[in-house]
Amino acid sequence: MNRILPLTVLFLLSGTLLAQEQFSAEDIAFFESKIRPILVTHCQDCHSGEDPESRFSVEFREAFLTGGEFGPAAKPGNPKESLLISAIKHDEFLKMPPKAKLSTTDVINFTRWVELGLPWPNESMEIVANIGQSADSVIAEFTEEQKQYWAFQLPVRPAFPRIANRPWIQSPIDFFTLAKLEEAGLTPAPQADKRTLIRRATFDLLGLPPTPQEIEDFLEDDRPDAYAQLIDRLLSSPRYGERWGRHWLDVARYADSNGLDENLSYEFAYQYRDYVIRSMNLDKSYGQFVQEQIAGDLMPPSDDPLAGTDQLRATGFLAIGPKMLAEDDPVKMQMDIIDEQVNTLGQTFMGLTLGCARCHDHKFDPIPTADYYALAGIFKSTKSMENYNVVADWFERPLVSEQTQAEIDRINAEIQTTKAKQTALNSKVVEIVEKELLHKADQYLLASSHIGDLDSHLAKHGLTAQAKQDSPFIVADGYLLVEAEAAHRTNLTIVPNGYGEGIGILASGGSGGFAEYEIEVPLPGSYTMEVRYAAQDSRSVGIKLDGKAMADGVLGRVTGSWYPDTQTWVAEIELELTAGKHTLAIDSPKVYPHIDKFALILNREQQTQNKSMPPSLSAFALEFDINKSFLSGWLWYLKTLDETKLQSNPFLAAWLRLSAIASDNFPEASAPILAELQSDGGLGAQAPKVIKDIFRQAPPKSLEEVAVLYRRLIVDTNHAFKHLDDSAKAVYKDVYDEISKAEFPAVTPKTIPASAYPEDLQMQRVSLTQQIAELEEARPEFEMAMGVTEGAGADLEIHLRGSHITLGKKVPRRMLQIIEGPVPQHKITEQSGRLELAQWLASPENPLVNRVMANRVWRWHFGRGIVSSVDNFGTLGELPTHPALLDYLAVELVESNGSLKALHRQIMLSATYQMSTAYSEQGMATDPENKLLWRFNRRRLTGEEVRDSVLTLGPGLDNRMGGTLLRVKNRAYVTTSGSNLTNEFQNQRRSIYLPVVRSSVYEVLQALDFPDPAVSNGDRATTTVAPQALLMMNSSLVDEATAALSQRLLPLNSSKRLETAYNLIMGRSPKSEEISGAQAYIQQVSEASVSTGISAEEASLFAWQSLCRVLLSSNEFIYIE
Amino acid sequence: MVTRRQLLKNTAVGFGSVALAGLMGQGTANAEEPNLLQRQPHFPAKAKRIIFLFMHGGPSQIDTFDYKPQLAKDDNKPVPFDKPRVVSAPTGNLLKSPFKFKQHGESGMWVSEIFPHIAKHVDELTFVKSVHGSNSRHGAALLELHTGSDTFIRPSMGSWLGYGLGNENQNLPCYVTICPSLTHGGGNNWSSAFLPALYAGTPIGNAGTASENAKIPFIKGTTPTAIQELEQRMLRDINLKHLTTTGPDSELESRIKSFELAFRLQTEAPELQDISDETADTLNMYGINNGPTKDFGLQCLMARRFAEAGVRFIQLSHSYKWDQHGNLAGGHRSNAMEVDQPIAALLTDLSQRGLLEDTILWWGGEFGRTPVSQGGRDGRDHNPHACTMFFAGGGMKPGIQHGLTDEYGYYAVEDKVHFHDLHATLLHQMGLDHTKLTYRYAGRDFRLTDVHGEVIHDILS
C-alpha cells in the first residue's frame, strides 16, 4: 500500500484553540465519571491512534474542537450545533456509535458536557499533531512495488522470442503468440479458408457482410498478395470509419441526449460523432486524436477549414457525458460533472479508474486523492456549462472562421443596441401602464364585478358545452368561437379527462408542436383573440396567420394550476383579418398551456351595432374604457379570492361583499355590511384600519363610490410607499402587502401586452421587433457543436470524503504523480491546464496511453484484450497474457506515427489472425478460454452489424454519412412519460447514425447488448437471452427486411432462388441436403398458407420470407467464424 | 393474409412448447454465465418477491397518512424553524391539509378521507413515517430510490434481486416494470447498469401507454403461430447441423435454447396479461370496469398474475400525477381515487390466495411534500426530508407505524429511515445481506447500499 507522508496538523490548532480553558473541579469530575468512560468503551476503538476513523480522535479535547473530516465535532456551549450530539442521537446522516445507540442518559450527559464547554483536565496535546492526514497531503510517496508496476513502465521494443515452427510465422506478431503456444504445448489452428477470411475481415473492418461478387472475386484472385490487397481495399472504404468510429464511441460513452434526470436533447452531439468517423477514415495519428479531444480548441488551428473546425468538434468528448441537470445544489452539480469528465478521461485514455480517488486515496492503485483533485482542478478551470441552474445549460460553440465570427459579433452588437432601445421603449410604456392600472382601478373593479364569470354570459347566448360539441366553430357576425381540440391539423394531444375533465383541452407532452385551424371570417377588420386556458407555470406560444408569424410569447399567463377549475379567459392579441378563409395556427417548440378554446372578436369600434354579438372581454373593456388584457387579470384575481382566499384577504373582502348587492337598493343593503366592517366581528375583525377609515369618513351610496374609495386607497398606498417616510408607510402597510403581490392585478406586469401600447409607441415597437428579425436574418448561419472552452483558472481543495461541503487543503493542478514523478514536468502556466494535460497524455513518455489503445485495437479484432480488462490497467485489472506482444504493438503504434490502419494491417496479416475457429480437444483441455490464442475466437455480430446487415440484404442500406437524425430540438425533452421521438429509427441509415437516447436506447440495439451509453465501455458484453430471439422472430425490422428479400428472390428462376439466398446471407452456396430441406420447408409453409385460402403466389412469397427469417436467425449468419 | 386462427385450425403440425422442451433439458448452465436459475439466499428468506406500487410525483405524507393536528391549528403561520438549506422553489406559510383524517382498525391508524378502501386494511399494513432521501428533484430522487445513487448510473434494486436470487420462473424475466415513466432517469431506473443485461428490468409499456396496451418489446409479431412453429423447427435443424461443423460451443448452444425460451415467453407473457379468465367479481373488486380505477386496477391485477407466475420484482407506476404544486385538494383526491380501490383489492386478492405471506407489497413515492404552501395556498413543494411509505406481507410487522416527523411533518425526526435503510431492509426480507450482495466492476465491489444502510428490525415481525 502506498504510504502518504503524514503532515503535521499543528497549524490547525490556531491560537485561540491552544489557549487552555480552566474548568472547575466539579466539571472535571463530571467529565471523568460520565463522559470519559463512554469515550473509552464506545468510541476509542475507532477514533484514536495515529490514523483515527474520519481523522477524528476522541483522545483530546482539542480534537473535538477541530474535528475530523465532517468538521468540528462540538461547539462549546452549543449542543444544538454540535455534530457530536446529533451523531449520538442518530438524528442526522452521521450516526455514532454506528451499531448501538447510546442510552438516553448518556445522550443527556453528553449534551450537558457540551453545554459546560467540554470540560477536560489539562493534558499534553503532542499526539494530536500526528493524526494521519493522508487525505490532506499533496506530495505522495510511493513504494518500490508501486513504482515498478508493469503498466507504469514505458513500453520498449521487445526481442523476438525463440520459436520452433518457423514456417507458421507470417508477421512479427506471430513470434509472440506462437512462443506462448509452444510453451504450453499447443498447436495453432489451421489457417481459415478464403471464404471465411473475407467474411471475417469485411465484418471486422466494415461491420457489413461481403457481397457475393466480392466473395467470388476474392476466391478467384490467386495473386500471392490477394489477402493483403483485400485488407487494403477494406481499410480505404468510408464504411471503415463508421465501424471503428463506433468502437471509439463506446469508449467515449457517446449519446445524443443527457439521460440521468432531465433527459434533454444534445442536438449537436453528432458533430463529435462525425468527427470521430472522419478521424478514423483519415487515419489521424492517435496522439493527435487524443490531444484534440482534450484540448483541440487550444491547439494551433489547422489551415484546412474542416480540420480546423474538427479540432473544436473534438472537445465534444468532454461535453457529451450524462449530467444531473436538475440538481438544486449548484456546487454539487459542478463537481459531479467534473467527476464524470475525470473518470471518463482516466478510463478512456489510461485504463485507470481515477473516480475511486474522489473520496479517498485509491484503495488499490497509487492514485492519492490529491492527484484526483489536481486533475479535477483542470476541469474546474474549464468551462463546460453555461450555468448550474435547474435545469442547467451546457456550453456550445459556433463552428466558424475568425472572419465570420467578426461579422457575427458585429451583428450581435447591433442586435444588442436595438434591444436596448426596446427596453427603453418598454420602460416608457411601463409608466403609462402603471398609471392606467392604478388610476382606473375603480373601473376594473366595477367591470369585473359586472362580468363575474364570463362563461355564464356566454351560456346566456347559447354557447354552452353542449352547443360547442355540436358545432365547435360558432360564428356570429364578427365573433368566432373555436374549441381548441377541434384543430384541423395538430400533433398535440387532446386531453378529454383529468386536465381536460368536462371541457376537453389541447396540450403537449414534453415538447412542442402545432395546432392549425381553418377559419372562415365573415367580416373584415381588426379582431381580438381571446383564449381560455389554464397554466401553473408560464408557457407561452406563438400565433401564425396563414403561415406568417403574428406574435410570439403569447398565452403566457399563469392561472394557478393545469386543471379546469383555473381555466381563464385572457385577451391576447389583435389580428387584422380579411373576410374569407384563413389558417390560424398556434405553434411552439416548447410545452403548451392547457388550452380550452379561443374566440376571435371584431373590435367594437369597427362594427355596426349588433345586439346579438356574444359578450367578450373586449366588449366589456370597451364599455368601461379599460384595457381588455388587464381586465382578464382582474377577473382572475377576484375569482381566486372568491373561492379560496376571501377569509385571508382583509383588503378586498369588503369589496366582494358589497359588490354582491343588487344595485337598486344599495344604500339599504350595504348598511349592515358597512356596520359589520366597523365592528370587531366578521369583516371588521380582519379589516385593516385604513379600510375602516375610508368607509367611515364617507359612507358610499353606490358601488361606483365604493370602487372610487378603493381606487384612491390603492393610489395613496402606492404613493406612500414610493415617496413618503416610514410612518406614512406604516399606515398603509396592510394594503401595501396585498397590492405589492406579483399577482395583484394593479401591479404592472413583467410583459406588457401589445394592446396596452399607445398607437405611436406600438408602431415603434413593431419597427424595432422587425429590425431585430432582419438582423437575425442577416447573421451568417453557422453550425454549433458541444464542447468545452477555457474558464477561470482555479485550483481545487481536496473534498474530504468527496463532499463539497467539507473541504481540505488546496492542491495545485498537475498530472499524475505516479507517472510524472514528484516534480511536475508539464507545468501548467496561465490557462486551465487542458493543453498540458493533452500533451502529457500524447507524449511518448506516457506509458499508458499507447499501450491502452494498442490493447483496445487487439480486443476489437480478437474479442479479448491482451489485457482482458481493457478499461482497467490498474492492479485490479488483469495481467497481460502476452506482455511482450503488447509492448511490441504499443511501440509499433508510436513509431508508425499513431496510425491505426498500419496496426490493423500488421494484426490482420498475421497467421494468428488468419487461424480458423476449429475446435481442438487439446486446446480446450489446456486453455479453455483461449487466452493463448490457439484458435480464432468465434464472435456474434453486434447489434449494429445485425441491423446493418439485415438492411443491406433486405431493402438496402442508405450509405449517406454524417448529420443527425434526431428531430427533437436542442435542449428539449427527449423523453417525458413516454418517448418524444417520432420515427428516428425507421430509416435505412447505418446504425451509427441512429440517435442514442440515454435511458431509452433504441430497442433493437438495446436487445443486442448495446452498452450503457452513460459510461465508458471498451469491452462490450455479449449475452444470449430470449429477447434477442424475440427480436429475430417478431420485430418489424426483420419482418420488413425479409419481405424485401423475398421480393428480390421471387422473380428469379426457382432453381436460382435458394442459391441466391444462401450466397447473400451465408456467403456460400447451399449444400445438396440443404437444398432438399429448404424445398420441403417452402412446400410445407406454402401449403399451410394456401390451405387458409390465400393465393399460391402470396403463399410462395410468404414461404420465402419465412425461410429468409430462418436463415437470418441462424447461428451461421449471426456468428463470424 | 393468413390469420393465426386459420393456421391453427388448418395446420397439422403438432409442434409447440412440448416438443421444444426436449432440447431445453440438455446441458447445464455454465456457472460463469449469468442465469436466472434460483439461488440460495444468504439466510432463510421471509419474502420471495416484491411488488412496488410507485406513486410518481411525490404524494404528500401530511395529506395521506401522517396526521398532523398541529398543522391545522397553525395554518397560514410561518413555519417556526428553518426550511432546508437546499430547496427546489420558494414556499409560503404552513398549509393545513384540505382533508379530514380518521382513525381506523384496531391499530387506530390515522388515514386521510381520500383512502377509504386502504383504510379498511390498516391492521395489515406497516407504516414508516420517517422515510427520507437526499435530493429534492424528481430525477435525482427517482434514481436514488431505485438504484441507491442520485449521482451515478447504478443497477436498480430489482436487478440486484435477480442477480442475487435468480427467478422462480425460467420463462419470465426476473424484474418487470409496468408503465414506467421515461422521464426522471427513465431506463436508468430499471437498468442493470454494470450487472449483466439479463437482470435489467423488462419494461411493459411506458407511462405514455394505457396499461391495457402495455406489452413486452417484440412479444408479438405478425407471423402466425403455426408458421412460427415451423420456423422454430427449421431453425433448430439448421443450427444443430451447424453445431456439428463447429464442434462444441456453449454459446451457440445457449442461443439455440434462447429461441425455445423466447417461444415460451411469447406464449406465457401474453397469457399472463390476458385477463379474460378472471371473474367479473375480481374485475369489479380491482375497479377495472370503472373509469378512474381502470388503468391502475389493471396494473394491480397484472402484478398479482406476475407474482403468481414467479416474477421476483414487479413494479407498478401511477405515473407522475402526485406532483401537486397546485391543486392539492383536487389532485390528491383524484389520484387517491385512482389507486385506493385497486390497492385494497390487490391486498385482499394476495391475501386470499395465500400469496401475501411471502410477497412484500410496498407503497411510496420519490419524496414527500412540504407542510408549507406553494402556488396560491393549494399546493405543496417537494420534500425529501420526510415521506410516508407503507408495506404489507412478506414478514413485515402488521398494524404498526415506525418513525416520527416533527409536529408539522416537515422533517423526519425520530427513527429516521433513509432509502439506503429501506433497501437494506427489503434485501434482508428477501434473505440477502446487503453488505454481502456485491458485484465487482471497474476495480471495485459495488453494493446496492454503497457504504450505507441499516436493516430496520423494528418493522419486521
Side-chain angles (χ1 to χ4, degrees), chain A residues 332-344:
Chain A
K332 180 175 187 302
M333 191 197 301
Q334 185 178 18
M335 281 314 297
D336 285 347
I337 290 169
I338 291 171
D339 181 64
E340 201 276 333
Q341 291 171 325
V342 172
N343 212 10
T344 306

Side-chain angles (χ1 to χ4, degrees), chain A residues 954-971:
Chain A
L957 194 62
D958 176 347
N959 271 333
R960 275 176 296 171
M961 298 178 73
T964 183
L965 297 169
L966 187 67
R967 292 166 189 217
V968 180
K969 286 196 177 140
N970 199 21
R971 302 182 199 269

